[in-house]
Amino acid sequence: MQIRDLTRSEADYFQAVCNFTNDENTLFELRLSDLSLEECAEKMDRSIDSVKQLSRKVNSKIDRER
């Protein structure tokens, strides 16, 4: 499942239990709005490699809570 496919209640649940850092939470919110990683990197003023690493961390935290 992709982050963009989550319902708002599912997203709220993961935000409550995953202990995202501020950057992870920002990326999570941007991905909920269906932005690509490249678009997220631009909005967050980060390199694409940095955003990819954040994305892996977010996905790992979500996977642990499923």
Side-chain angles (χ1 to χ4, degrees):
M1 176 181 277
Q2 303 264 335
I3 290 175
R4 69 174 180 251
D5 297 331
L6 296 173
T7 65
R8 187 70 242 181
S9 62
E10 290 170 328
D12 290 344
Y13 167 78
F14 287 123
Q15 285 178 305
V17 300
C18 288
N19 297 316
F20 293 139
T21 65
N22 288 339
D23 285 339
E24 291 168 349
N25 194 61
T26 298
L27 178 60
F28 184 78
E29 285 291 333
L30 291 171
R31 296 293 283 163
L32 279 173
S33 62
D34 203 23
L35 294 180
S36 69
L37 288 178
E38 291 79 10
E39 292 168 316
C40 293
E42 186 175 317
K43 286 200 175 281
M44 294 175 73
D45 196 27
R46 298 292 183 100
S47 71
I48 186 63
D49 290 335
S50 176
V51 170
K52 284 179 181 179
Q53 183 178 24
L54 276 174
S55 181
R56 285 190 293 273
K57 289 179 181 179
V58 167
N59 289 329
S60 176
K61 288 180 179 185
I62 290 171
D63 288 344
R64 282 195 302 260
E65 296 300 330
R66 283 194 177 160

